[in-house]
Amino acid sequence: MIDDSTGLMTIGELARTTGLTVRTIRYWSDEGALPPVTRSAGGYRLYDAASVARLELIRTLRELGLGLDAVRRVLAGETTVAQVAAAHVSALDAQISALRVTRAVLSTVARRGSTAEEMTLMNKLARLSATERRRIIEDFMAEVFEGIDTADPDIRTRLRFAAADLPDDPTPEQVDAWVELAELIQDPEFRATMRRMIEFNAADRGPDVPTGSSLWFVSRLVRVAGEALSEDVAPHSPRAADILRELIGDADPAVVRERLTAVTNVRLARYRELSAIVNGVEPPSAYEEQFGWVVAALDARTGS
């Protein structure tokens, strides 16, 4: 009811005016966010029109998720709504990021049918700090390149980019891909496969070979094999033998085949795919048909 002699409202009238419960208003009042203007002779709290506006602000801030401490500081003039909102945005961003990680882990667990142990590992990997994630990448790079000084520098650059860290605001798909990528690059068998590929690259590479030659060869292989496929050149035909000779020169076909097989490893292809997702770029083409044609042509030359 309204106190007719003063124009002040009781807590019940304030509740009816704002649509809030008496219990909520009393709690906020007890916490110091909405102190009464005065009290009646009977000890009842009384509020004025300014209290209604103050109560609406409290309700808005609370609905936006701000704690009562922040609300009190705004009402006391110790900080501004804009400053509190900016701080709250940062807090929400952190919560959203954490929820994305949780969602990614759970979706991966559901998709894989993972055990409790696997789920624990995935959760640990997903929640690593940026420093810890970089340490995993650096350890991977160090092991696969240790003692191999003649590998094409372009390979090292591309491999480091492929193993890049999560962005600051990753999508659930990127978190999911990072978890799988982190598992992959810590797998000793995969590291051995990657190192073997680097060793093949460095085996016959002299000091005068320009950077990027490896990529140039792959690009040429894809183009030449693509043309052969479009012309329906059979891998065992004399024409294929001529094309292969132009492509690899006097190199031993058996050696070339072994190296191409290393490059086209299924797990390496998955590594590239996951890396593209983490980096937010389109997954590269595996050029399976082109590499398959060249391998078949090599097999025809070596009698495999």
Side-chain angles (χ1 to χ4, degrees):
M1 60 177 286
I2 299 178
D3 188 311
D4 293 331
S5 63
T6 63
L8 299 177
M9 289 175 283
T10 64
I11 198 168
E13 179 60 24
L14 187 58
R16 287 189 290 276
T17 299
T18 61
L20 291 164
T21 66
V22 169
R23 182 178 180 179
T24 297
I25 296 174
R26 183 179 291 116
Y27 172 69
W28 288 348
S29 184
D30 290 343
E31 291 296 314
L34 186 71
V37 174
T38 186
R39 288 182 179 266
S40 68
Y44 293 102
R45 310 176 210 222
L46 298 175
Y47 302 90
D48 59 10
S51 299
V52 176
R54 185 182 181 95
L55 188 55
E56 289 294 347
L57 176 58
I58 295 171
R59 173 160 60 181
T60 299
L61 293 174
R62 291 291 288 156
E63 287 177 347
L64 290 171
L66 271 68
L68 276 178
D69 285 341
V71 171
R72 280 195 296 266
R73 285 189 286 110
V74 170
L75 296 171
E78 297 173 3
T79 186
T80 67
V81 172
Q83 289 170 330
V84 170
H88 197 55
V89 166
S90 297
L92 284 174
D93 285 343
Q95 292 175 21
I96 290 170
S97 178
L99 285 172
R100 281 176 172 164
V101 169
T102 300
R103 181 187 182 280
V105 170
L106 291 175
S107 64
T108 302
V109 169
R111 188 182 69 251
R112 295 186 185 179
S114 302
T115 64
E117 291 77 10
E118 289 170 334
M119 181 177 67
T120 299
L121 174 60
M122 283 187 284
N123 189 49
K124 179 180 178 181
L125 289 173
R127 297 183 189 281
L128 291 175
S129 68
T131 300
E132 290 169 327
R133 291 196 300 268
R134 281 195 295 272
R135 187 178 299 119
I136 289 175
I137 294 169
E138 292 304 322
D139 182 59
F140 166 69
M141 293 291 294
E143 181 169 332
V144 299
F145 279 98
E146 184 180 5
I148 306 176
D149 300 325
T150 57
D152 189 337
D154 186 64
I155 297 292
R156 184 186 293 269
T157 300
R158 288 175 176 275
L159 196 59
R160 185 178 294 280
F161 173 78
D165 197 2
L166 278 168
D168 292 334
D169 187 23
T171 64
E173 292 74 20
Q174 286 174 311
V175 175
D176 190 11
W178 159 255
V179 169
E180 187 177 343
L181 185 64
E183 290 177 314
L184 189 59
I185 65 177
Q186 292 183 97
D187 180 0
E189 185 179 336
F190 176 75
R191 289 189 175 195
T193 298
M194 186 67 78
R195 182 173 175 82
R196 188 159 54 250
M197 183 190 73
I198 303 300
E199 288 172 341
F200 282 152
N201 175 265
D204 300 318
R205 188 174 182 275
D208 299 327
V209 177
T211 297
S213 296
S214 303
L215 181 63
W216 174 83
F217 174 77
V218 171
S219 298
R220 186 162 177 264
L221 180 151
V222 168
R223 178 178 57 79
V224 169
E227 291 172 354
L229 285 165
S230 66
E231 296 172 8
D232 293 325
V233 177
H236 58 275
S237 67
R239 174 63 181 141
D242 292 337
I243 293 173
L244 198 61
R245 193 175 300 109
E246 292 175 10
L247 181 64
I248 68 172
D250 297 328
D252 184 343
V255 172
V256 174
R257 187 193 187 286
E258 184 182 12
R259 295 183 182 183
L260 286 182
T261 302
V263 173
T264 54
N265 181 282
V266 173
R267 299 186 81 194
L268 285 174
R270 182 58 178 163
Y271 170 80
R272 298 185 190 100
E273 183 181 355
L274 293 170
S275 300
I277 296 172
V278 172
N279 285 300
V281 298
E282 285 294 319
S285 172
Y287 297 111
E288 293 179 3
E289 284 188 295
Q290 290 87 340
F291 275 96
W293 186 91
V294 173
V295 169
L298 289 166
D299 285 344
R301 305 288 82 74
T302 59
S304 300

